[in-house]
Every structure is written in structure tokens, then in C-alpha cells.
């Protein structure tokens, strides 16, 4: 008992640092909760655009410019890496302290937090100094390839689960001390709202992360993917609201950062691809989440006026935007955004792994013939049921539209029109409905699963972009002006990774010596990652 007390007391400062690391994973910095500045650099100026959830309506920022979706910016490219680095720097001192071994469950939980951010970083740019980062090296020298990183994370996840499942054999006095420490220094467990203070939620997060990674590698190592996925499901994955982990406004007290970024700073507007997809499927979000144009918009060619409040309208990805964060300066500020009331009042979480995502993973696994504990149709339909953005504690308008939505057999005819007249009209590329049809072939079923997962993930663009690269779904409009990137992307192609674009000599040397060999290709937007295989889905 004395050794545990001593470890908890001595490590208090390290636990507080780790707490900031949990926030760093979803847009926090300097020990603070997720907030606009850090979140914007981590998501909104990169992955949010590549997934085509949003478009940035202007190019002028006080710390750089972003002329279009694929524009490479040294100021913004390192945003996701910066988030990973902050989280890693906050968590690794604790994991490498000798006293943490006296309280293995706290070590396992914090290692799990590192696994979450390590996996996401791997899927954004590819290789990085994973092995040296885990040793808390101040001057890492070598990038590790993605297979090494993936296998290392999964090995850690298995160890974490084994440790946490052993917790129930611990004496009661020990459990009381660990519960107190978890309640003070671990803020990600949604289960605490249900008075679940045990390890169940952490175990399910670890297994769900393993299931996500299994599906990522299904093209490059199909047998390993099947093995990991079946092991994860057998061990226990997220299956309820209470199982979910992330940073929750209802627990920690904050508003999702996209509210300020989009509706106070005017730095995000709905992407036309997302607009077209949602409208083609008559999605519930078109009834209450996304708003019509805020002002009258004049067509530059025909002089036709689209009156304020007329319709939901997005900005085509890749549009060469101009300056201005107000409507007076920039008419694109009138295009659609989301309801602040819905995001704020319903306390939308920033999930690590969402229940709906796990169900769609299981649906795809079942479609591939894996043992997922149920049928593809069951998990597909349950995934849709729980796909809304709002916190379940606060209810959702979404559920009132579910019956009609789930029974949509064919897409609605829809043409996206730019109110300003920038380019021709864009007929929808969505050719599937929502309703599950057992008679559909595998490819159509997969398209339905991934399309619904993409919507359910919103606004977690990192994972949405990964699935878009892996499967080619959902079908979206090609990004305009692809040549505004680094020159490696042909018009009509998709960005495959965020380049490192190192600026200091040491980083340049690391990229040249080990980064590019580990990547297996040039440090460019078009270079595919290890799991991103150019091959059929089946």
C-alpha cells in the first residue's frame, strides 16, 4: 500500500501533464481544453479540407495563407504533427518514470492515450520517429516505417487490455486508490456519467482502436487484418454510449472548437461535396444542422440573386478563394455553415472512437466474412441509428427523421449550384440509397457502409480522410485546382498524405536519411502510405 501511495504522490505533476496530453489529442494546448487555435491547425487547415467536410472561404490568415484546398503551406502543414508532439511530450515523461510500474493500470491507460494519437499521426503523413518517441528521446534521429508503427501500437494495445482485464483481481483498497486517481487525472471516460468507474471503457477503446487499424490494412495484409479484427471483437469493443471515449463538454465544460472557427472567425464553410452527399440522401442534417445561405448572393455572370435563407450551399473543394472574413469583404462568407445552437447546446463531443464507427467497422468485417458477432445489416443499421453528432445525454432531432432516412432506396436527384456562378452546375455523384438491400453486390454494400461511416464520423476528418483514401468512398466531387498543391497530384486525383515539409536542417536530414526510405516514395502529397494500396476493395 505504501508503495502505491508513494507513487501516486510523487507522480502527481506527471499526471497533470498527462491530463494536458489528453486535451492535446483533440485540439488543446498549454494544458487547456480543446480550443479554436490549436484545433484549427490540427484539423481545419488540412484534414477537414481533404475529407471535404469543409472549405476555407478565404486565404488570408495572420500567420500564413491558404489559397485553396491542396495548397501546401509550411505554416499549416505541421499542425497535426504539432498536436501529436504536444500529446507525446505530455504523456511520455510519465510512461518512462520508474515509479509508474507500481500502478500498472495508470501506465496502461496513459499508454492507450499515446496509442490514439500515434495511430492518427501515422495515417496523416506516414513514418515518424515512433520508437524513439516512446523512449522520450529529446533528439530522435530515425523515422520508422508504417508497418513497424502499426505492429508496435497493436502490441501495446494487447498488453493494455491484458493489464486492465487483470484489474478485477486487485484488492479493494488498491481499486479505491486507482479509481480516485482515474477520476482526477483521466477525463476521457464517458462511462463516469453512468457511474462506471472501472476499466471497461478503456478496454473497449483499446480493442476498438485495434479494430480500426485492422480495417486500415485490409488491402496490404488481409490475413493480419482479419486476425486483429476478430481478436478485437472477441475481447470487447464499444457497444454503447457509455463505452465511448473522448473529450466531452458535458464532463469537462467547453464548446466544440468548430463553433468559434466557423461561426465566430468565419474560417470554415460547408464543402459542396458534403452538401451534395447529404442532400442526395435527404439526410437528417439537412433538416436541422446545416443552415441555408446567410445573405443574398449575386451570380457574377447572370446577376441572378439567391436570396438569404434560400438553400444549403457549399463551396467546391479547391476553389481559389480570396481575402476577407466578413461578408462585406468576401461574398463566400454567405455560404452554408452549421447551427451553433445544435453544436453548443447539445454539447457535441470530440470522440476518440465513436460507437457508430465501430458498428460500421463490424459491418464491413461481416461483409468480408469475418466473425464480427452479427450480420453486416445489423451493424450497418445500428450504426446509422447512433450516427448523430450531438451528445446522447441531450437528445437529438436526428432520431425523429430516422425511419424515412433508413428506408431511402434511391438517392434524390440533386444538382449543386454555385450561387456566385463560379463554374458550371455539379450533378450529384451519389448513386446509392440508404436502405440495406441484401441483393446488392459486395461493392455496393461497402459503398453504403463507408458512406454512412463518413457521415457518422463528422467532424472527425482524420479518420474520414483515411477511409476515403482506403476505399474511394464516399463518392465526392474532384478537388479543383489540384495543381495548387506541390505539383504531384494530377487533376481528378486525391491527396494521399500530408508532406512533412521540414524547415530546419536537422529535420531535413532526418527526412532524407530515414523518412523517405521508410515512406518508400518522395515527400509529396501523391505518395501513398503503406496501407493505401491501389487495388480493388475485394
Amino acid at each position: 500500500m505504501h508503495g502505491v501511495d508513494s507513487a501516486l504522490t510523487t507522480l502527481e505533476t506527471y499526471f497533470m501533464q498527462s491530463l494536458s496530453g489528453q486535451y492535446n489529442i483533440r485540439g488543446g494546448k498549454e494544458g487547456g481544453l480543446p480550443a479554436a487555435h490549436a484545433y484549427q491547425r490540427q484539423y481545419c487547415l488540412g484534414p477537414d479540407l481533404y475529407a471535404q467536410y469543409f472549405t476555407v472561404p478565404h486565404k488570408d490568415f495572420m500567420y500564413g495563407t491558404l489559397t485553396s484546398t491542396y495548397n501546401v503551406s509550411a505554416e499549416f502543414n505541421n499542425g497535426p504533427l504539432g498536436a501529436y508532439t504536444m500529446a507525446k511530450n505530455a504523456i511520455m515523461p510519465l510512461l518512462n518514470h520508474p515509479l509508474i510500474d507500481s500502478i500498472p493500470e495508470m501506465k496502461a491507460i496513459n499508454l492507450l492515450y499515446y496509442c490514439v494519437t500515434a495511430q492518427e499521426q501515422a495515417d496523416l503523413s506516414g513514418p515518424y520517429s515512433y520508437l524513439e518517441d516512446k523512449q522520450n528521446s529529446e533528439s530522435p534521429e530515425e523515422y520508422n516505417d508504417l508497418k513497424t508503427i502499426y505492429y508496435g501500437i497493436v502490441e501495446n494495445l494487447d498488453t493494455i487490455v491484458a493489464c486492465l482485464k487483470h484489474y478485477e483481481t486487485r484488492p479493494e483498497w488498491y481499486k479505491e486508490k486507482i479509481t480516485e486517481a482515474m477520476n482526477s487525472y483521466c477525463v476521457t471516460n464517458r462511462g463516469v456519467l453512468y457511474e462506471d468507474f472501472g476499466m471497461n471503457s478503456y478496454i473497449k477503446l483499446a480493442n476498438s482502436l485495434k479494430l480500426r487499424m485492422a480495417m486500415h490494412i485490409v488491402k496490404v495484409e488481409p490475413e493480419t487484418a482479419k486476425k486483429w479484427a476478430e481478436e478485437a471483437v472477441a475481447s470487447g469493443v464499444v457497444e454503447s454510449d457509455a463505452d465511448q471515449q473522448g473529450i466531452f463538454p458535458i464532463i469537462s465544460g467547453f464548446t466544440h472548437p468548430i463553433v468559434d472557427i466557423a461561426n465566430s472567425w468565419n474560417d470554415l464553410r460547408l464543402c459542396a461535396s458534403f452538401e451534395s452527399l447529404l442532400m442526395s440522401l435527404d439526410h437528417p442534417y439537412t433538416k436541422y444542422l446545416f443552415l441555408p445561405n446567410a445573405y443574398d448572393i449575386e451570380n457574377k455572370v447572370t446577376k441572378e440573386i439567391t436570396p438569404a435563407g434560400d438553400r444549403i450551399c457549399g463551396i467546391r473543394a479547391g476553389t481559389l478563394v480570396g481575402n476577407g472574413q466578413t461578408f462585406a469583404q468576401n461574398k463566400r462568407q454567405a455560404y452554408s455553415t452549421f447551427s451553433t445552437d445544435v453544436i453548443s447546446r447539445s454539447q457535441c463531443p470530440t470522440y476518440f472512437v465513436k460507437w457508430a464507427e465501430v458498428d460500421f467497422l463490424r459491418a464491413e468485417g461481416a461483409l468480408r466474412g469475418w466473425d464480427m458477432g452479427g450480420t453486416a445489416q445489423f451493424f450497418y443499421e445500428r450504426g446509422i441509428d447512433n450516427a448523430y453528432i450531438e451528445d446522447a445525454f441531450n437528445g437529438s432531432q436526428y432520431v425523429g427523421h430516422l425511419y424515412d432516412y433508413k428506408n431511402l432506396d434511391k438517392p434524390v436527384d440533386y444538382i449543386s449550384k454555385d450561387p456566385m456562378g463560379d463554374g458550371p452546375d455539379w450533378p450529384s455523384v451519389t448513386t446509392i440509397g440508404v436502405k440495406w438491400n441484401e441483393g446488392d453486390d459486395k461493392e455496393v454494400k461497402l459503398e453504403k457502409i463507408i458512406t454512412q461511416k463518413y457521415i457518422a464520423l463528422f467532424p472527425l476528418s482524420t479518420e474520414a480522410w483515411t477511409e476515403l483514401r482506403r476505399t474511394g468512398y464516399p463518392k465526392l466531387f474532384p478537388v479543383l485546382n489540384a495543381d495548387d498543391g506541390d505539383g504531384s497530384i494530377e487533376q481528378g486525383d486525391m491527396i494521399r498524405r500530408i508532406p512533412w515539409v521540414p524547415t530546419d536542417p536537422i529535420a531535413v536530414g532526418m527526412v532524407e536519411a530515414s523518412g523517405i526510405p521508410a515512406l518508400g516514395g518522395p515527400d509529396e502529397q501523391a505518395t501513398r502510405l503503406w496501407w493505401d494500396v491501389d487495388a480493388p476493395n475485394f
Side-chain angles (χ1 to χ4, degrees), residues 202-222:
Y202 300 95
I203 292 169
K204 293 192 172 187
L205 170 60
N207 286 322
S208 297
L209 187 61
K210 181 177 178 179
L211 176 61
R212 174 194 281 178
M213 296 175 69
M215 202 60 73
H216 288 178
I217 68 168
V218 70
K219 288 185 181 180
V220 68
E221 291 196 3

Side-chain angles (χ1 to χ4, degrees), residues 249-398:
I250 198 170
I251 295 174
S252 299
F254 69 103
T255 297
H256 199 297
I258 59 172
V259 169
D260 279 343
I261 297 166
N263 294 345
S264 295
W265 297 357
N266 294 324
D267 285 353
L268 292 176
R269 289 295 177 265
L270 178 66
C271 182
S273 284
F274 201 22
E275 166 214 341
S276 181
L277 176 64
L278 294 174
M279 297 299 290
S280 296
L281 297 179
D282 196 23
H283 192 275
Y285 284 170
T286 65
K287 313 292 197 300
Y288 74 96
L289 179 60
F290 289 103
L291 304 173
N293 54 301
Y295 302 96
D296 292 353
I297 307 175
E298 181 180 18
N299 188 298
K300 294 182 293 186
V301 179
T302 66
K303 304 305 179 184
E304 178 185 1
I305 300 295
T306 300
D310 184 67
R311 62 184 178 87
I312 294 174
C313 53
I315 301 173
R316 184 81 179 264
T319 297
L320 295 172
V321 295
N323 295 334
Q325 290 174 272
T326 67
F327 177 69
Q329 301 167 313
N330 180 355
K331 303 311 176 189
R332 288 194 180 90
Q333 293 293 356
Y335 287 54
S336 293
T337 182
F338 50 80
S339 166
T340 295
D341 284 349
V342 171
I343 302 293
S344 300
R345 293 182 183 177
S346 62
Q347 298 179 293
C348 295
T350 58
Y351 294 103
F352 290 164
V353 179
K354 190 176 181 180
W355 179 16
E357 179 196 345
V358 173
D359 272 354
F360 290 124
L361 286 165
R362 296 175 78 175
E364 181 178 347
L367 183 64
R368 294 182 179 279
W370 304 348
D371 184 0
M372 296 287 99
T375 66
Q377 179 176 355
F378 172 80
F379 291 121
Y380 173 79
E381 292 178 343
R382 192 173 72 175
I384 295 174
D385 289 344
N386 297 286
Y388 47 85
I389 190 173
E390 303 96 314
D391 192 297
F393 250 65
N394 294 295
S396 172
Q397 298 178 52
Y398 173 92

